[in-house]
């Protein structure tokens, strides 16, 4: 049986990692097999590319260069981690995936070229469900900075106008694919966001499985 592929998208500090962790714990408590992973990253090669993109002094401003690097990392991740986990029947929870490339690199290159690069990186794999954790970038950046680790990454350093455009692009993607996306107000408190996510996952994938009211 093929597993389920769920992605979490949104701007900086929207709470994606927090909610991935919470949902994983919940699903594991139901006895389900869960694979938690992230992008860029998830394999040694992809984590090395992550280091290059996010921290390298010479990180490129060119959209195609960025998209190609994310796609190379993603392809390794899809082939080595995500597809095998799905084939083993796992629920795969992924912190960012191809929609991040659409939102972050989309304003820097033609759409047809972007989609070609994305198709190569994903190997044609699409999420079954995508949570868009949406909030004003000012709030997300402030959250991200409040647990500041010393150095802002390549994209956190970008100006507010860029992050507003990223948000606009995510919202447009969600509007264009309402069957896949669930729009979440990520400015609500952590527990409220988690409860919304839990109820969507139960309704979509666990109906009739008697998971109770946990
Ligand atoms: N990128 C990525 C691209 O440009 N193209 C691509 O194709 C891909 C895949 C990745 C960067 O790469 C770019 C996008 C990014 O700029 P990253 O470090 O993975 O870098 O960046 P983020 O995914 O943005 O990670 P963050 O950790 O900054 O954000 P999260 O995961 O959304 O937020 P989280 O859960 O770590 O929470 C941030 C803080 O807020 C608190 C948490 O406790 C934490 O302190 N928090 C809340 N506070 C109040 N209310 C809530 N509801 C909260 N939820 C969490």
């Amino acid at each position: 049986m093929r597993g389920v592929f769920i992605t979490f998208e949104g701007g900086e500090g929207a709470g994606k990692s927090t909610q991935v962790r919470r949902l994983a714990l919940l699903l594991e408590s139901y006895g389900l097999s869960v694979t938690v992973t992230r992008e860029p990253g998830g394999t040694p090669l992809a984590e090395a590319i992550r280091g290059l993109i996010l921290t390298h002094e010479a990180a490129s401003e060119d959209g195609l260069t960025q998209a190609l690097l994310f796609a190379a990392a993603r392809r390794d991740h899809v082939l080595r981690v995500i597809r095998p986990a799905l084939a083993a029947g796992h629920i795969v929870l992924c912190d960012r995936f191809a929609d991040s490339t659409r939102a972050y690199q989309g304003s820097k290159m033609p759409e047809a070229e972007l989609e070609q690069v994305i198709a190569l990186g994903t190997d044609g794999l699409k999420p079954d469900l995508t949570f868009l954790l949406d909030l004003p970038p000012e709030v997300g950046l402030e959250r991200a900075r409040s647990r500041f680790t010393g150095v802002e990454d390549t994209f956190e350093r970008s100006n507010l106008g860029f992050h507003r455009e990223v948000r606009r692009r995510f919202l447009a993607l969600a509007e264009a694919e309402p069957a896949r996306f669930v729009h979440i107000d990520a400015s609500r408190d952590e527990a409220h966001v988690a409860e919304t996510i839990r109820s969507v996952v139960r309704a979509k994938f666990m109906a009739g499985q008697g998971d109770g009211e946990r």
Side-chain angles (χ1 to χ4, degrees):
M1 189 190 79
R2 183 189 178 277
V4 175
F5 184 29
I6 302 176
T7 58
F8 291 71
E9 298 280 6
E12 312 294 314
K16 300 175 296 298
S17 322
T18 304
Q19 295 301 331
V20 165
R21 276 195 301 275
R22 288 185 75 129
L23 183 60
L25 285 174
L26 181 77
L27 295 173
E28 281 163 1
S29 79
Y30 296 162
L32 297 165
S33 301
V34 181
T35 293
V36 171
T37 190
R38 70 167 181 183
E39 291 212 344
T43 68
L45 175 61
E47 291 290 336
I49 294 174
R50 177 188 177 93
L52 284 173
I53 302 173
L54 297 186
T55 59
H56 199 272
E57 294 282 304
S60 173
E61 282 296 310
D62 178 59
L64 179 56
T65 305
Q66 290 178 3
L68 287 166
L69 286 166
F70 284 115
R74 182 166 302 130
R75 188 167 175 85
D76 193 56
H77 186 210
V78 167
L79 297 183
R80 291 201 210 196
V81 173
I82 302 178
R83 280 207 191 278
L86 292 174
H90 285 208
I91 299 176
V92 177
L93 305 182
C94 190
D95 186 344
R96 296 193 182 278
F97 193 63
D99 295 308
S100 281
T101 308
R102 295 187 174 97
Y104 282 79
Q105 281 67 55
S107 60
K108 302 175 184 173
M109 59 189 291
E111 193 183 336
E113 208 170 76
L114 180 79
E115 289 302 328
Q116 271 182 324
V117 174
I118 286 175
L120 293 170
T122 59
D123 191 38
L125 181 68
K126 266 191 113 168
D128 298 295
L129 172 66
T130 298
F131 288 106
L132 173 58
L133 271 60
D134 174 54
L135 84 176
E138 296 89 328
V139 181
L141 286 165
E142 191 47 46
R143 281 187 194 169
R145 281 170 188 149
S146 69
R147 46 105 229 250
F148 191 49
T149 50
V151 193
E152 285 184 314
D153 74 34
T154 308
F155 296 96
E156 282 169 356
R157 275 197 300 265
S158 301
N159 64 38
L160 198 54
F162 174 76
H163 290 290
R164 290 195 175 122
E165 175 61 14
V166 166
R167 183 188 193 195
R168 193 193 66 72
R169 285 180 172 271
F170 272 130
L171 289 170
L173 290 167
E175 204 178 310
E177 269 192 90
R180 173 165 71 91
F181 274 93
V182 174
H183 176 276
I184 306 260
D185 178 359
S187 62
R188 303 293 301 267
D189 68 72
E190 205 183 298
H192 181 95
V193 173
E195 176 50 32
T196 309
I197 289 172
R198 183 190 83 115
S199 63
V200 171
V201 169
R202 279 189 63 198
K204 260 185 116 70
F205 303 114
M206 304 173 76
Q209 287 189 16
D211 63 313
E213 284 303 315
R214 281 182 281 182

